[in-house]
Protein backbone atom coordinates (compact mmCIF):
# COMPACT_ATOMS: atom_id res chain seq x y z
CA UNK A 1 0.00 0.00 0.00
CA UNK A 2 2.89 2.34 0.72
CA UNK A 3 4.05 2.16 -2.90
CA UNK A 4 0.55 2.92 -4.19
CA UNK A 5 0.20 5.97 -1.93
CA UNK A 6 3.70 7.25 -2.57
CA UNK A 7 3.47 6.91 -6.34
CA UNK A 8 0.22 8.86 -6.65
CA UNK A 9 1.05 11.59 -4.12
CA UNK A 10 2.76 14.01 -6.52
CA UNK A 11 -0.15 13.85 -8.98
CA UNK A 12 -2.72 14.31 -6.20
CA UNK A 13 -0.91 17.38 -4.87
CA UNK A 14 -0.66 18.72 -8.41
CA UNK A 15 -4.44 18.52 -8.72
CA UNK A 16 -4.94 20.02 -5.25
CA UNK A 17 -2.98 23.19 -6.08
CA UNK A 18 -4.64 23.69 -9.45
CA UNK A 19 -5.74 27.36 -9.38
CA UNK A 20 -8.80 27.11 -11.65
CA UNK A 21 -11.16 25.06 -9.42
CA UNK A 22 -10.06 27.01 -6.34
CA UNK A 23 -10.81 30.34 -8.01
CA UNK A 24 -14.12 28.99 -9.36
CA UNK A 25 -15.40 27.82 -5.97
CA UNK A 26 -14.32 31.07 -4.28
CA UNK A 27 -16.21 33.10 -6.91
CA UNK A 28 -19.30 30.94 -6.37
CA UNK A 29 -19.14 31.37 -2.61
CA UNK A 30 -19.23 35.14 -3.10
CA UNK A 31 -22.59 35.02 -4.98
CA UNK A 32 -26.08 35.22 -3.41
CA UNK A 33 -26.42 31.45 -3.87
CA UNK A 34 -22.91 30.91 -2.55
CA UNK A 35 -23.63 28.25 0.06
CA UNK A 36 -25.69 25.96 -2.20
CA UNK A 37 -23.51 26.46 -5.27
CA UNK A 38 -20.27 26.04 -3.33
CA UNK A 39 -21.45 22.76 -1.84
CA UNK A 40 -22.72 21.57 -5.24
CA UNK A 41 -19.44 22.49 -6.95
CA UNK A 42 -17.38 20.70 -4.31
CA UNK A 43 -19.60 17.61 -4.50
CA UNK A 44 -19.35 17.59 -8.30
CA UNK A 45 -15.56 17.87 -8.12
CA UNK A 46 -15.23 15.00 -5.63
CA UNK A 47 -17.59 12.76 -7.61
CA UNK A 48 -15.96 13.60 -10.95
CA UNK A 49 -12.43 13.00 -9.67
CA UNK A 50 -13.51 9.79 -7.92
CA UNK A 51 -15.07 8.52 -11.16
CA UNK A 52 -11.91 9.14 -13.22
CA UNK A 53 -9.62 7.59 -10.60
CA UNK A 54 -11.89 4.56 -10.09
CA UNK A 55 -12.20 3.80 -13.81
CA UNK A 56 -8.46 4.01 -14.39
CA UNK A 57 -7.52 2.03 -11.28
CA UNK A 58 -10.02 -0.76 -12.05
CA UNK A 59 -9.05 -0.93 -15.73
CA UNK A 60 -5.33 -0.77 -15.01
CA UNK A 61 -5.52 -3.37 -12.25
CA UNK A 62 -7.31 -5.72 -14.63
CA UNK A 63 -4.38 -5.47 -17.04
CA UNK A 64 -1.82 -6.18 -14.32
CA UNK A 65 -1.28 -9.84 -13.48
CA UNK A 66 1.04 -9.39 -10.51
CA UNK A 67 4.79 -9.76 -10.18
CA UNK A 68 6.87 -7.21 -12.07
CA UNK A 69 5.26 -4.03 -13.29
CA UNK A 70 4.07 -4.54 -16.91
CA UNK A 71 6.00 -2.90 -19.74
CA UNK A 72 2.92 -1.03 -20.95
CA UNK A 73 2.82 0.86 -17.64
CA UNK A 74 6.29 2.30 -18.25
CA UNK A 75 5.45 3.27 -21.82
CA UNK A 76 2.27 4.96 -20.62
CA UNK A 77 4.23 6.79 -17.93
CA UNK A 78 6.73 7.92 -20.55
CA UNK A 79 3.90 9.25 -22.73
CA UNK A 80 2.30 11.04 -19.78
CA UNK A 81 5.66 12.51 -18.79
CA UNK A 82 6.17 13.93 -22.28
CA UNK A 83 2.64 15.36 -22.17
CA UNK A 84 3.39 17.01 -18.80
CA UNK A 85 6.54 18.62 -20.19
CA UNK A 86 4.74 19.90 -23.31
CA UNK A 87 1.91 21.28 -21.17
CA UNK A 88 4.43 23.02 -18.92
CA UNK A 89 6.05 24.67 -21.95
CA UNK A 90 2.65 25.78 -23.28
CA UNK A 91 1.58 27.08 -19.88
CA UNK A 92 4.71 29.21 -19.62
CA UNK A 93 4.54 30.40 -23.23
CA UNK A 94 0.90 31.50 -22.81
CA UNK A 95 1.46 33.24 -19.48
CA UNK A 96 0.28 36.88 -19.22
CA UNK A 97 3.12 39.33 -19.77
CA UNK A 98 4.19 41.61 -16.92
CA UNK A 99 1.58 44.22 -16.16
CA UNK A 100 -1.23 42.22 -17.77
CA UNK A 101 -3.78 39.78 -16.36
CA UNK A 102 -5.12 36.67 -18.05
CA UNK A 103 -8.59 37.03 -19.54
CA UNK A 104 -11.02 35.01 -17.39
CA UNK A 105 -13.10 32.31 -19.14
CA UNK A 106 -16.62 33.27 -20.21
CA UNK A 107 -18.20 30.89 -17.70
CA UNK A 108 -16.31 32.60 -14.89
CA UNK A 109 -17.89 35.95 -15.78
CA UNK A 110 -21.37 34.36 -15.63
CA UNK A 111 -20.82 32.45 -12.40
CA UNK A 112 -23.19 34.63 -10.36
CA UNK A 113 -26.09 33.30 -12.47
CA UNK A 114 -25.26 29.63 -11.90
CA UNK A 115 -27.70 27.19 -10.32
CA UNK A 116 -26.52 24.36 -8.08
CA UNK A 117 -26.87 21.94 -10.99
CA UNK A 118 -24.70 24.07 -13.26
CA UNK A 119 -22.12 24.44 -10.48
CA UNK A 120 -21.87 20.67 -10.04
CA UNK A 121 -21.73 20.16 -13.79
CA UNK A 122 -18.94 22.72 -14.16
CA UNK A 123 -16.89 20.90 -11.52
CA UNK A 124 -17.20 17.60 -13.38
CA UNK A 125 -16.15 19.31 -16.61
CA UNK A 126 -13.11 20.86 -14.93
CA UNK A 127 -12.04 17.37 -13.83
CA UNK A 128 -12.81 15.35 -16.95
CA UNK A 129 -12.44 17.91 -19.77
CA UNK A 130 -9.61 20.10 -18.48
CA UNK A 131 -6.43 18.56 -19.98
CA UNK A 132 -4.16 19.43 -17.03
CA UNK A 133 -6.45 18.00 -14.36
CA UNK A 134 -7.38 14.95 -16.43
CA UNK A 135 -3.77 14.00 -17.21
CA UNK A 136 -2.78 14.49 -13.57
CA UNK A 137 -5.69 12.29 -12.44
CA UNK A 138 -4.95 9.57 -14.98
CA UNK A 139 -1.24 9.61 -14.15
CA UNK A 140 -1.84 9.21 -10.43
CA UNK A 141 -4.46 6.51 -10.94
CA UNK A 142 -2.16 4.54 -13.27
CA UNK A 143 0.53 4.63 -10.58
CA UNK A 144 -1.95 3.12 -8.12
CA UNK A 145 -3.19 0.49 -10.58
CA UNK A 146 0.30 -0.76 -11.48
CA UNK A 147 1.62 -0.83 -7.92
CA UNK A 148 2.10 -4.14 -6.09
CA UNK A 149 -0.49 -3.22 -3.45
CA UNK A 150 -3.43 -5.48 -2.67
CA UNK A 151 -6.94 -4.60 -3.80
CA UNK A 152 -7.60 -3.08 -0.38
CA UNK A 153 -4.37 -1.08 -0.51
CA UNK A 154 -5.24 0.29 -3.95
CA UNK A 155 -8.69 1.26 -2.69
CA UNK A 156 -7.19 3.18 0.24
CA UNK A 157 -4.70 4.90 -2.08
CA UNK A 158 -7.47 5.84 -4.51
CA UNK A 159 -9.61 7.32 -1.72
CA UNK A 160 -6.64 9.31 -0.41
CA UNK A 161 -5.88 10.56 -3.91
CA UNK A 162 -9.45 11.83 -4.33
CA UNK A 163 -9.39 13.53 -0.91
CA UNK A 164 -6.01 15.19 -1.49
CA UNK A 165 -6.93 16.19 -5.04
CA UNK A 166 -10.17 17.73 -3.76
CA UNK A 167 -8.49 20.03 -1.23
CA UNK A 168 -8.68 22.84 -3.81
CA UNK A 169 -12.46 22.84 -3.28
CA UNK A 170 -12.83 21.37 0.22
CA UNK A 171 -10.58 23.94 1.91
CA UNK A 172 -12.31 27.07 0.52
CA UNK A 173 -15.71 25.57 1.34
CA UNK A 174 -14.54 24.76 4.86
CA UNK A 175 -13.23 28.29 5.38
CA UNK A 176 -16.53 29.72 4.10
CA UNK A 177 -18.70 27.52 6.33
CA UNK A 178 -16.57 27.80 9.48
CA UNK A 179 -14.63 31.04 9.09
CA UNK A 180 -17.40 33.50 9.82
CA UNK A 181 -16.76 37.16 8.95
CA UNK A 182 -13.07 36.52 8.26
CA UNK A 183 -13.80 34.05 5.46
CA UNK A 184 -14.39 36.72 2.81
CA UNK A 185 -11.01 38.33 3.43
CA UNK A 186 -9.16 35.03 3.63
CA UNK A 187 -10.72 33.60 0.48
CA UNK A 188 -10.20 36.87 -1.37
CA UNK A 189 -6.50 36.72 -0.52
CA UNK A 190 -6.25 33.13 -1.77
CA UNK A 191 -8.01 34.01 -5.01
CA UNK A 192 -5.78 37.00 -5.66
CA UNK A 193 -2.58 35.07 -5.00
CA UNK A 194 -3.59 32.10 -7.15
CA UNK A 195 -4.71 34.37 -9.98
CA UNK A 196 -1.39 36.23 -10.05
CA UNK A 197 0.78 33.12 -9.80
CA UNK A 198 -1.36 30.71 -11.84
CA UNK A 199 1.13 30.28 -14.70
CA UNK A 200 4.16 29.85 -12.44
CA UNK A 201 2.40 27.33 -10.21
CA UNK A 202 1.16 25.08 -13.01
CA UNK A 203 4.38 25.37 -15.03
CA UNK A 204 6.41 24.22 -12.03
CA UNK A 205 4.04 21.37 -11.13
CA UNK A 206 3.83 20.07 -14.69
CA UNK A 207 7.58 20.33 -15.29
CA UNK A 208 8.44 18.49 -12.06
CA UNK A 209 5.89 15.74 -12.73
CA UNK A 210 7.05 15.44 -16.33
CA UNK A 211 10.64 14.95 -15.24
CA UNK A 212 9.59 12.39 -12.61
CA UNK A 213 7.41 10.36 -14.97
CA UNK A 214 9.99 10.35 -17.77
CA UNK A 215 12.73 9.37 -15.33
CA UNK A 216 10.69 6.55 -13.78
CA UNK A 217 9.69 5.24 -17.22
CA UNK A 218 13.24 5.25 -18.60
CA UNK A 219 14.53 3.53 -15.47
CA UNK A 220 11.86 0.83 -15.77
CA UNK A 221 12.45 0.27 -19.48
CA UNK A 222 16.24 0.14 -19.19
Amino acid sequence: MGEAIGSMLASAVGIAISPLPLIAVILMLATPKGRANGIAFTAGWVVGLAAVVTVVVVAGSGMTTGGEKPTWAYWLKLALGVVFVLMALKQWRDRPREGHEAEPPKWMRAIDRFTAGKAAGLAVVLVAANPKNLVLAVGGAVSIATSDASAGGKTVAAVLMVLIGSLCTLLPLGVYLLGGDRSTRVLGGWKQWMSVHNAAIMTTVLAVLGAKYVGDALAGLA
Side-chain angles (χ1 to χ4, degrees), residues 15 62 72 155 202 211:
I15 299 170
W72 67 262
T155 299
M202 291 313 301

Side-chain angles (χ1 to χ4, degrees), residues 86-156:
L86 293 175
M87 290 170 65
L89 292 173
K90 185 178 186 302
Q91 184 79 45
W92 186 249
R93 185 191 64 190
D94 295 344
R95 73 190 187 282
R97 293 305 181 257
E98 188 174 353
H100 296 80
E101 291 188 7
E103 185 71 16
K106 290 182 179 179
W107 59 261
M108 196 173 282
R109 298 195 293 269
I111 216 164
D112 58 336
R113 299 192 297 274
F114 272 34
T115 61
K118 282 187 177 181
L122 173 62
V124 173
V125 168
L126 289 180
V127 172
N130 182 282
K132 291 190 287 292
N133 293 327
L134 181 60
V135 175
L136 286 167
V138 170
V142 166
S143 297
I144 295 172
T146 56
S147 70
D148 60 2
S150 64
K154 290 180 180 180
T155 299
V156 172

